Short mmCIF file of all heavy atoms in Angstrom, two decimals:
data_model
loop_
_atom_site.label_atom_id
_atom_site.label_comp_id
_atom_site.label_asym_id
_atom_site.label_seq_id
_atom_site.Cartn_x
_atom_site.Cartn_y
_atom_site.Cartn_z
N MET A 153 18.10 -78.04 142.46
CA MET A 153 19.46 -78.50 142.27
C MET A 153 20.16 -78.60 143.63
O MET A 153 20.08 -77.71 144.45
CB MET A 153 20.20 -77.53 141.36
CG MET A 153 21.59 -77.93 141.04
SD MET A 153 22.23 -76.82 139.78
CE MET A 153 23.86 -77.38 139.69
N VAL A 154 20.85 -79.71 143.84
CA VAL A 154 21.55 -79.95 145.10
C VAL A 154 22.95 -79.36 145.01
O VAL A 154 23.68 -79.60 144.05
CB VAL A 154 21.63 -81.46 145.39
CG1 VAL A 154 22.45 -81.71 146.64
CG2 VAL A 154 20.25 -82.06 145.49
N LYS A 155 23.33 -78.59 146.01
CA LYS A 155 24.68 -78.03 146.06
C LYS A 155 25.51 -78.86 147.02
O LYS A 155 25.15 -79.05 148.18
CB LYS A 155 24.63 -76.57 146.50
CG LYS A 155 25.98 -75.91 146.44
CD LYS A 155 25.87 -74.43 146.76
CE LYS A 155 27.25 -73.81 146.65
NZ LYS A 155 27.21 -72.39 146.96
N LEU A 156 26.65 -79.39 146.54
CA LEU A 156 27.52 -80.21 147.37
C LEU A 156 28.58 -79.36 148.04
O LEU A 156 29.10 -78.42 147.44
CB LEU A 156 28.17 -81.30 146.52
CG LEU A 156 27.22 -82.26 145.81
CD1 LEU A 156 27.99 -83.21 144.94
CD2 LEU A 156 26.38 -83.03 146.81
N GLN A 157 28.88 -79.69 149.28
CA GLN A 157 29.93 -78.99 150.00
C GLN A 157 31.21 -79.80 149.94
O GLN A 157 31.19 -81.02 149.96
CB GLN A 157 29.54 -78.79 151.46
CG GLN A 157 28.41 -77.84 151.66
CD GLN A 157 28.10 -77.67 153.14
OE1 GLN A 157 28.24 -78.59 153.93
NE2 GLN A 157 27.67 -76.48 153.51
N GLN A 158 32.33 -79.09 149.89
CA GLN A 158 33.62 -79.76 149.93
C GLN A 158 33.93 -80.14 151.37
O GLN A 158 33.73 -79.34 152.28
CB GLN A 158 34.72 -78.86 149.38
CG GLN A 158 36.04 -79.54 149.26
CD GLN A 158 37.08 -78.67 148.58
OE1 GLN A 158 36.80 -77.53 148.22
NE2 GLN A 158 38.25 -79.18 148.39
N THR A 159 34.36 -81.37 151.59
CA THR A 159 34.72 -81.80 152.93
C THR A 159 36.24 -81.89 153.05
O THR A 159 36.96 -81.76 152.06
CB THR A 159 34.12 -83.20 153.24
OG1 THR A 159 34.74 -84.17 152.41
CG2 THR A 159 32.62 -83.21 153.03
N ALA A 160 36.71 -82.17 154.24
CA ALA A 160 38.15 -82.30 154.48
C ALA A 160 38.75 -83.44 153.68
O ALA A 160 39.93 -83.44 153.37
CB ALA A 160 38.42 -82.47 155.95
N LEU A 161 37.94 -84.44 153.34
CA LEU A 161 38.45 -85.59 152.58
C LEU A 161 38.54 -85.31 151.09
O LEU A 161 39.21 -86.02 150.36
CB LEU A 161 37.57 -86.82 152.83
CG LEU A 161 37.51 -87.31 154.27
CD1 LEU A 161 36.55 -88.48 154.38
CD2 LEU A 161 38.89 -87.71 154.76
N ASP A 162 37.83 -84.29 150.63
CA ASP A 162 37.88 -83.95 149.21
C ASP A 162 39.18 -83.23 148.90
O ASP A 162 39.59 -82.33 149.63
CB ASP A 162 36.72 -83.03 148.82
CG ASP A 162 35.37 -83.72 148.90
OD1 ASP A 162 35.32 -84.96 148.76
OD2 ASP A 162 34.36 -83.02 149.11
N PRO A 163 39.85 -83.60 147.79
CA PRO A 163 41.07 -82.88 147.43
C PRO A 163 40.74 -81.45 147.01
O PRO A 163 39.67 -81.17 146.49
CB PRO A 163 41.63 -83.69 146.27
CG PRO A 163 40.48 -84.45 145.72
CD PRO A 163 39.52 -84.66 146.85
N ASP A 164 41.65 -80.56 147.27
CA ASP A 164 41.52 -79.18 146.83
C ASP A 164 41.60 -79.17 145.31
O ASP A 164 42.59 -79.62 144.74
CB ASP A 164 42.63 -78.32 147.44
CG ASP A 164 42.51 -76.85 147.07
OD1 ASP A 164 41.73 -76.51 146.16
OD2 ASP A 164 43.21 -76.05 147.70
N PRO A 165 40.58 -78.67 144.61
CA PRO A 165 40.61 -78.68 143.15
C PRO A 165 41.73 -77.84 142.55
O PRO A 165 42.07 -77.99 141.39
CB PRO A 165 39.24 -78.15 142.75
CG PRO A 165 38.74 -77.41 143.95
CD PRO A 165 39.38 -78.06 145.15
N ASN A 166 42.34 -76.98 143.36
CA ASN A 166 43.43 -76.14 142.87
C ASN A 166 44.81 -76.79 143.09
O ASN A 166 45.81 -76.23 142.67
CB ASN A 166 43.39 -74.77 143.55
CG ASN A 166 42.12 -74.04 143.21
OD1 ASN A 166 41.67 -74.07 142.07
ND2 ASN A 166 41.53 -73.40 144.19
N GLU A 167 44.84 -77.94 143.76
CA GLU A 167 46.10 -78.62 144.02
C GLU A 167 46.31 -79.73 143.00
O GLU A 167 45.37 -80.38 142.56
CB GLU A 167 46.12 -79.25 145.41
CG GLU A 167 46.30 -78.27 146.52
CD GLU A 167 46.45 -78.97 147.86
OE1 GLU A 167 46.96 -80.11 147.89
OE2 GLU A 167 46.04 -78.38 148.87
N ASN A 168 47.56 -79.97 142.63
CA ASN A 168 47.90 -81.10 141.80
C ASN A 168 48.20 -82.29 142.69
O ASN A 168 49.04 -82.20 143.57
CB ASN A 168 49.15 -80.80 140.93
CG ASN A 168 48.85 -79.77 139.88
OD1 ASN A 168 47.76 -79.72 139.34
ND2 ASN A 168 49.84 -78.95 139.57
N LEU A 169 47.49 -83.39 142.47
CA LEU A 169 47.74 -84.59 143.26
C LEU A 169 48.95 -85.31 142.68
O LEU A 169 49.06 -85.47 141.46
CB LEU A 169 46.53 -85.51 143.25
CG LEU A 169 45.26 -84.93 143.87
CD1 LEU A 169 44.13 -85.93 143.72
CD2 LEU A 169 45.48 -84.57 145.31
N GLN A 170 49.86 -85.72 143.52
CA GLN A 170 51.06 -86.42 143.08
C GLN A 170 51.31 -87.60 143.99
O GLN A 170 51.06 -87.54 145.19
CB GLN A 170 52.26 -85.49 143.09
CG GLN A 170 52.15 -84.35 142.12
CD GLN A 170 53.38 -83.45 142.17
OE1 GLN A 170 54.19 -83.54 143.08
NE2 GLN A 170 53.50 -82.59 141.19
N LEU A 171 51.84 -88.66 143.41
CA LEU A 171 52.25 -89.82 144.20
C LEU A 171 53.49 -89.46 145.00
O LEU A 171 54.36 -88.75 144.52
CB LEU A 171 52.55 -91.01 143.29
CG LEU A 171 51.40 -91.59 142.51
CD1 LEU A 171 51.89 -92.65 141.54
CD2 LEU A 171 50.37 -92.17 143.45
N THR A 172 53.58 -89.97 146.21
CA THR A 172 54.76 -89.73 147.02
C THR A 172 55.86 -90.73 146.68
O THR A 172 57.02 -90.49 146.97
CB THR A 172 54.45 -89.79 148.52
OG1 THR A 172 53.87 -91.06 148.81
CG2 THR A 172 53.48 -88.69 148.92
N GLN A 173 55.47 -91.87 146.09
CA GLN A 173 56.43 -92.86 145.63
C GLN A 173 55.80 -93.63 144.47
O GLN A 173 54.57 -93.68 144.36
CB GLN A 173 56.85 -93.79 146.76
CG GLN A 173 55.69 -94.47 147.48
CD GLN A 173 56.18 -95.26 148.67
OE1 GLN A 173 56.96 -96.18 148.50
NE2 GLN A 173 55.73 -94.89 149.85
N PRO A 174 56.61 -94.20 143.61
CA PRO A 174 56.06 -94.91 142.45
C PRO A 174 55.22 -96.11 142.86
O PRO A 174 55.47 -96.73 143.91
CB PRO A 174 57.29 -95.37 141.67
CG PRO A 174 58.44 -94.64 142.25
CD PRO A 174 58.06 -94.20 143.63
N ILE A 175 54.23 -96.43 142.05
CA ILE A 175 53.41 -97.63 142.27
C ILE A 175 54.25 -98.83 141.88
O ILE A 175 54.84 -98.85 140.79
CB ILE A 175 52.15 -97.58 141.42
CG1 ILE A 175 51.27 -96.40 141.80
CG2 ILE A 175 51.35 -98.89 141.53
CD1 ILE A 175 50.09 -96.19 140.89
N PRO A 176 54.34 -99.86 142.71
CA PRO A 176 55.07 -101.07 142.32
C PRO A 176 54.48 -101.65 141.04
O PRO A 176 53.27 -101.62 140.83
CB PRO A 176 54.87 -102.03 143.48
CG PRO A 176 54.41 -101.19 144.64
CD PRO A 176 53.75 -99.98 144.05
N VAL A 177 55.32 -102.17 140.17
CA VAL A 177 54.87 -102.71 138.89
C VAL A 177 53.78 -103.77 139.09
O VAL A 177 52.84 -103.86 138.32
CB VAL A 177 56.06 -103.29 138.09
CG1 VAL A 177 55.60 -103.99 136.84
CG2 VAL A 177 57.02 -102.19 137.74
N THR A 178 53.88 -104.55 140.15
CA THR A 178 52.91 -105.61 140.39
C THR A 178 51.52 -105.07 140.76
O THR A 178 50.55 -105.80 140.72
CB THR A 178 53.38 -106.55 141.52
OG1 THR A 178 53.64 -105.77 142.68
CG2 THR A 178 54.61 -107.31 141.09
N LEU A 179 51.44 -103.79 141.10
CA LEU A 179 50.16 -103.17 141.45
C LEU A 179 49.69 -102.14 140.43
O LEU A 179 48.59 -101.63 140.54
CB LEU A 179 50.26 -102.50 142.83
CG LEU A 179 50.54 -103.42 144.00
CD1 LEU A 179 50.67 -102.62 145.28
CD2 LEU A 179 49.45 -104.47 144.14
N HIS A 180 50.54 -101.80 139.46
CA HIS A 180 50.19 -100.79 138.47
C HIS A 180 49.05 -101.34 137.60
O HIS A 180 49.20 -102.39 136.98
CB HIS A 180 51.39 -100.44 137.62
CG HIS A 180 51.18 -99.22 136.78
ND1 HIS A 180 50.37 -99.22 135.66
CD2 HIS A 180 51.65 -97.96 136.91
CE1 HIS A 180 50.36 -98.03 135.14
NE2 HIS A 180 51.12 -97.24 135.88
N PRO A 181 47.89 -100.67 137.56
CA PRO A 181 46.74 -101.22 136.86
C PRO A 181 47.01 -101.58 135.39
O PRO A 181 46.60 -102.64 134.93
CB PRO A 181 45.69 -100.11 136.94
CG PRO A 181 46.12 -99.25 138.07
CD PRO A 181 47.61 -99.39 138.18
N ALA A 182 47.72 -100.74 134.68
CA ALA A 182 48.00 -101.02 133.27
C ALA A 182 48.92 -102.23 133.13
O ALA A 182 48.72 -103.07 132.25
CB ALA A 182 48.61 -99.79 132.59
N GLN A 183 49.92 -102.32 133.99
CA GLN A 183 50.85 -103.45 133.90
C GLN A 183 50.17 -104.75 134.26
O GLN A 183 50.42 -105.79 133.64
CB GLN A 183 52.06 -103.22 134.82
CG GLN A 183 53.13 -104.27 134.68
CD GLN A 183 53.70 -104.33 133.27
OE1 GLN A 183 53.87 -103.31 132.61
NE2 GLN A 183 53.98 -105.51 132.79
N VAL A 184 49.28 -104.72 135.26
CA VAL A 184 48.55 -105.92 135.64
C VAL A 184 47.67 -106.37 134.47
O VAL A 184 47.62 -107.55 134.12
CB VAL A 184 47.70 -105.69 136.91
CG1 VAL A 184 46.74 -106.83 137.17
CG2 VAL A 184 48.61 -105.45 138.11
N TYR A 185 47.01 -105.42 133.83
CA TYR A 185 46.17 -105.73 132.67
C TYR A 185 47.02 -106.31 131.53
O TYR A 185 46.67 -107.33 130.95
CB TYR A 185 45.45 -104.46 132.20
CG TYR A 185 44.68 -104.63 130.92
CD1 TYR A 185 43.53 -105.41 130.88
CD2 TYR A 185 45.11 -104.03 129.74
CE1 TYR A 185 42.82 -105.57 129.71
CE2 TYR A 185 44.40 -104.19 128.57
CZ TYR A 185 43.26 -104.96 128.55
OH TYR A 185 42.56 -105.13 127.39
N LEU A 186 48.12 -105.67 131.23
CA LEU A 186 48.99 -106.13 130.14
C LEU A 186 49.55 -107.53 130.40
O LEU A 186 49.67 -108.33 129.49
CB LEU A 186 50.15 -105.14 129.92
CG LEU A 186 49.78 -103.80 129.30
CD1 LEU A 186 50.98 -102.87 129.35
CD2 LEU A 186 49.27 -103.97 127.89
N SER A 187 49.85 -107.82 131.65
CA SER A 187 50.45 -109.12 131.96
C SER A 187 49.47 -110.27 131.71
O SER A 187 49.89 -111.42 131.54
CB SER A 187 50.97 -109.16 133.38
OG SER A 187 49.91 -109.12 134.31
N GLY A 188 48.18 -109.99 131.68
CA GLY A 188 47.18 -111.01 131.44
C GLY A 188 46.90 -111.24 129.96
O GLY A 188 46.12 -112.12 129.61
N LEU A 189 47.52 -110.46 129.09
CA LEU A 189 47.29 -110.59 127.66
C LEU A 189 48.36 -111.46 126.99
O LEU A 189 49.45 -111.61 127.52
CB LEU A 189 47.32 -109.20 126.99
CG LEU A 189 46.29 -108.18 127.48
CD1 LEU A 189 46.55 -106.83 126.85
CD2 LEU A 189 44.88 -108.66 127.16
N GLY A 190 48.04 -111.97 125.81
CA GLY A 190 49.03 -112.69 125.02
C GLY A 190 50.05 -111.71 124.48
O GLY A 190 49.81 -110.51 124.40
N GLU A 191 51.23 -112.20 124.07
CA GLU A 191 52.33 -111.33 123.63
C GLU A 191 51.91 -110.39 122.50
O GLU A 191 52.22 -109.21 122.52
CB GLU A 191 53.54 -112.16 123.22
CG GLU A 191 54.77 -111.33 122.89
CD GLU A 191 55.23 -110.44 124.04
OE1 GLU A 191 55.18 -110.86 125.20
OE2 GLU A 191 55.65 -109.30 123.76
N GLY A 192 51.22 -110.90 121.49
CA GLY A 192 50.81 -110.06 120.37
C GLY A 192 49.83 -108.97 120.79
O GLY A 192 49.93 -107.82 120.38
N SER A 193 48.88 -109.34 121.62
CA SER A 193 47.90 -108.36 122.12
C SER A 193 48.57 -107.36 123.04
O SER A 193 48.23 -106.17 123.03
CB SER A 193 46.78 -109.07 122.88
OG SER A 193 46.07 -109.93 122.03
N ARG A 194 49.51 -107.82 123.83
CA ARG A 194 50.21 -106.96 124.79
C ARG A 194 50.90 -105.81 124.06
O ARG A 194 50.82 -104.66 124.48
CB ARG A 194 51.22 -107.79 125.57
CG ARG A 194 51.78 -107.11 126.78
CD ARG A 194 52.71 -108.00 127.57
NE ARG A 194 52.04 -109.25 127.92
CZ ARG A 194 52.66 -110.42 127.99
NH1 ARG A 194 53.95 -110.51 127.76
NH2 ARG A 194 51.99 -111.51 128.31
N ARG A 195 51.54 -106.12 122.96
CA ARG A 195 52.25 -105.09 122.18
C ARG A 195 51.26 -104.04 121.65
O ARG A 195 51.51 -102.84 121.74
CB ARG A 195 52.97 -105.78 121.01
CG ARG A 195 54.26 -105.18 120.63
CD ARG A 195 54.98 -105.95 119.52
NE ARG A 195 54.30 -107.12 119.02
CZ ARG A 195 54.74 -108.38 119.17
NH1 ARG A 195 55.85 -108.61 119.82
NH2 ARG A 195 54.06 -109.39 118.68
N THR A 196 50.13 -104.50 121.11
CA THR A 196 49.14 -103.59 120.55
C THR A 196 48.51 -102.72 121.62
O THR A 196 48.39 -101.50 121.45
CB THR A 196 48.03 -104.42 119.84
OG1 THR A 196 48.63 -105.20 118.84
CG2 THR A 196 46.98 -103.52 119.24
N ILE A 197 48.09 -103.32 122.73
CA ILE A 197 47.45 -102.57 123.80
C ILE A 197 48.43 -101.61 124.48
O ILE A 197 48.08 -100.49 124.82
CB ILE A 197 46.79 -103.52 124.83
CG1 ILE A 197 45.72 -104.36 124.15
CG2 ILE A 197 46.23 -102.75 126.00
CD1 ILE A 197 44.57 -103.58 123.53
N ARG A 198 49.68 -102.04 124.65
CA ARG A 198 50.70 -101.16 125.25
C ARG A 198 50.85 -99.89 124.39
O ARG A 198 50.90 -98.78 124.93
CB ARG A 198 52.04 -101.87 125.36
CG ARG A 198 53.12 -100.99 125.98
CD ARG A 198 54.47 -101.67 126.05
NE ARG A 198 54.41 -102.83 126.93
CZ ARG A 198 54.72 -104.08 126.52
NH1 ARG A 198 55.10 -104.30 125.28
NH2 ARG A 198 54.65 -105.07 127.35
N TYR A 199 50.88 -100.07 123.08
CA TYR A 199 50.98 -98.91 122.18
C TYR A 199 49.77 -98.00 122.39
O TYR A 199 49.92 -96.78 122.50
CB TYR A 199 51.08 -99.37 120.73
CG TYR A 199 51.06 -98.23 119.75
CD1 TYR A 199 52.20 -97.49 119.51
CD2 TYR A 199 49.89 -97.89 119.10
CE1 TYR A 199 52.18 -96.42 118.63
CE2 TYR A 199 49.85 -96.82 118.22
CZ TYR A 199 50.99 -96.09 117.98
OH TYR A 199 50.96 -95.03 117.12
N SER A 200 48.58 -98.59 122.44
CA SER A 200 47.37 -97.80 122.63
C SER A 200 47.37 -97.06 123.97
O SER A 200 47.00 -95.89 124.04
CB SER A 200 46.13 -98.70 122.55
OG SER A 200 46.04 -99.28 121.27
N LEU A 201 47.79 -97.75 125.03
CA LEU A 201 47.82 -97.12 126.35
C LEU A 201 48.84 -95.99 126.41
O LEU A 201 48.68 -95.03 127.18
CB LEU A 201 48.11 -98.15 127.43
CG LEU A 201 46.99 -99.15 127.71
CD1 LEU A 201 47.48 -100.24 128.66
CD2 LEU A 201 45.76 -98.47 128.24
N ASN A 202 49.88 -96.05 125.61
CA ASN A 202 50.86 -94.97 125.57
C ASN A 202 50.42 -93.85 124.64
O ASN A 202 50.86 -92.71 124.78
CB ASN A 202 52.23 -95.49 125.12
CG ASN A 202 52.93 -96.25 126.22
OD1 ASN A 202 52.82 -95.90 127.38
ND2 ASN A 202 53.63 -97.30 125.86
N THR A 203 49.54 -94.14 123.70
CA THR A 203 49.06 -93.14 122.75
C THR A 203 47.99 -92.24 123.36
O THR A 203 47.94 -91.05 123.09
CB THR A 203 48.51 -93.82 121.49
OG1 THR A 203 49.55 -94.61 120.91
CG2 THR A 203 48.02 -92.83 120.47
N ILE A 204 47.13 -92.81 124.21
CA ILE A 204 46.03 -92.05 124.80
C ILE A 204 46.52 -90.80 125.54
O ILE A 204 45.99 -89.71 125.29
CB ILE A 204 45.18 -92.96 125.71
CG1 ILE A 204 44.47 -94.02 124.86
CG2 ILE A 204 44.18 -92.14 126.53
CD1 ILE A 204 43.87 -95.16 125.66
N PRO A 205 47.51 -90.88 126.42
CA PRO A 205 47.96 -89.66 127.10
C PRO A 205 48.52 -88.63 126.13
O PRO A 205 48.41 -87.43 126.35
CB PRO A 205 49.05 -90.13 128.07
CG PRO A 205 48.89 -91.60 128.18
CD PRO A 205 48.19 -92.05 126.95
N ALA A 206 49.13 -89.08 125.05
CA ALA A 206 49.68 -88.15 124.06
C ALA A 206 48.55 -87.32 123.43
O ALA A 206 48.70 -86.11 123.25
CB ALA A 206 50.45 -88.91 122.99
N PHE A 207 47.44 -87.96 123.13
CA PHE A 207 46.31 -87.22 122.57
C PHE A 207 45.73 -86.25 123.59
O PHE A 207 45.36 -85.13 123.25
CB PHE A 207 45.20 -88.18 122.13
CG PHE A 207 45.47 -88.87 120.83
CD1 PHE A 207 45.39 -90.24 120.74
CD2 PHE A 207 45.79 -88.15 119.67
CE1 PHE A 207 45.63 -90.89 119.55
CE2 PHE A 207 46.03 -88.79 118.48
CZ PHE A 207 45.96 -90.16 118.41
N LEU A 208 45.62 -86.68 124.82
CA LEU A 208 44.97 -85.87 125.84
C LEU A 208 45.83 -84.71 126.34
O LEU A 208 45.30 -83.72 126.83
CB LEU A 208 44.56 -86.75 127.03
CG LEU A 208 43.53 -87.83 126.72
CD1 LEU A 208 43.29 -88.69 127.96
CD2 LEU A 208 42.22 -87.22 126.23
N THR A 209 47.15 -84.84 126.26
CA THR A 209 48.03 -83.80 126.81
C THR A 209 48.94 -83.17 125.79
O THR A 209 49.90 -82.51 126.13
CB THR A 209 48.91 -84.41 127.93
OG1 THR A 209 49.76 -85.39 127.33
CG2 THR A 209 48.07 -85.01 129.02
N ASN A 210 48.65 -83.39 124.51
CA ASN A 210 49.50 -82.87 123.45
C ASN A 210 50.93 -83.36 123.62
O ASN A 210 51.89 -82.63 123.50
CB ASN A 210 49.45 -81.34 123.41
CG ASN A 210 49.95 -80.80 122.11
OD1 ASN A 210 49.97 -81.49 121.09
ND2 ASN A 210 50.36 -79.54 122.10
N SER A 211 51.08 -84.64 123.97
CA SER A 211 52.34 -85.36 124.12
C SER A 211 53.15 -85.01 125.36
O SER A 211 54.20 -85.56 125.58
CB SER A 211 53.22 -85.21 122.88
OG SER A 211 52.57 -85.74 121.75
N ALA A 212 52.69 -84.11 126.22
CA ALA A 212 53.48 -83.70 127.38
C ALA A 212 53.74 -84.84 128.33
O ALA A 212 54.88 -85.05 128.76
CB ALA A 212 52.77 -82.58 128.11
N ILE A 213 52.74 -85.63 128.68
CA ILE A 213 52.94 -86.73 129.62
C ILE A 213 53.59 -87.91 128.93
O ILE A 213 54.46 -88.55 129.52
CB ILE A 213 51.59 -87.13 130.26
CG1 ILE A 213 51.14 -86.01 131.19
CG2 ILE A 213 51.72 -88.44 131.03
CD1 ILE A 213 49.83 -86.25 131.87
N ALA A 214 53.23 -88.19 127.71
CA ALA A 214 53.79 -89.33 127.01
C ALA A 214 55.31 -89.21 126.88
O ALA A 214 56.01 -90.22 126.90
CB ALA A 214 53.15 -89.47 125.63
N LYS A 215 55.82 -88.01 126.80
CA LYS A 215 57.26 -87.81 126.70
C LYS A 215 57.96 -88.06 128.04
O LYS A 215 59.12 -88.44 128.09
CB LYS A 215 57.58 -86.39 126.23
CG LYS A 215 57.20 -86.16 124.79
CD LYS A 215 57.45 -84.71 124.41
CE LYS A 215 56.98 -84.46 123.00
NZ LYS A 215 57.09 -83.06 122.62
N LEU A 216 57.22 -87.86 129.13
CA LEU A 216 57.82 -88.03 130.45
C LEU A 216 57.84 -89.46 130.92
O LEU A 216 58.77 -89.91 131.57
CB LEU A 216 57.05 -87.20 131.48
CG LEU A 216 57.10 -85.70 131.29
CD1 LEU A 216 56.19 -85.02 132.32
CD2 LEU A 216 58.51 -85.19 131.46
N GLN A 217 56.78 -90.22 130.61
CA GLN A 217 56.68 -91.57 131.15
C GLN A 217 55.85 -92.43 130.20
O GLN A 217 54.85 -92.02 129.68
CB GLN A 217 55.98 -91.54 132.51
CG GLN A 217 55.79 -92.90 133.13
CD GLN A 217 55.07 -92.80 134.47
OE1 GLN A 217 54.46 -91.80 134.78
NE2 GLN A 217 55.14 -93.86 135.22
N THR A 218 56.35 -93.64 129.97
CA THR A 218 55.57 -94.60 129.18
C THR A 218 55.36 -95.84 130.04
O THR A 218 56.12 -96.13 130.94
CB THR A 218 56.30 -95.00 127.89
OG1 THR A 218 57.57 -95.54 128.20
CG2 THR A 218 56.46 -93.80 126.97
N ILE A 219 54.31 -96.55 129.73
CA ILE A 219 54.01 -97.78 130.45
C ILE A 219 54.96 -98.86 129.94
O ILE A 219 55.20 -98.98 128.76
CB ILE A 219 52.55 -98.18 130.21
CG1 ILE A 219 51.65 -97.08 130.77
CG2 ILE A 219 52.22 -99.53 130.83
CD1 ILE A 219 50.21 -97.24 130.38
N MET A 220 55.46 -99.65 130.84
CA MET A 220 56.44 -100.69 130.49
C MET A 220 56.00 -101.50 129.33
O MET A 220 55.28 -102.22 129.06
CB MET A 220 56.71 -101.57 131.69
CG MET A 220 57.28 -100.78 132.80
SD MET A 220 57.60 -101.88 134.14
CE MET A 220 58.85 -100.99 134.97
#
């Protein structure tokens, strides 16, 4: 079994990574994806993308932020 060493570029697993500023809407991966969909599909997928974090975090993140 190979044991990997943590390097200076690896984030500390005990630290929470946070953005220093919001991602512009034009670069937000979910928004870019949604903008390429038709209106009916956009509504359905937006709901799904907002539901996934609720399942994974017991609604903690979904209450704080939703995708446009």
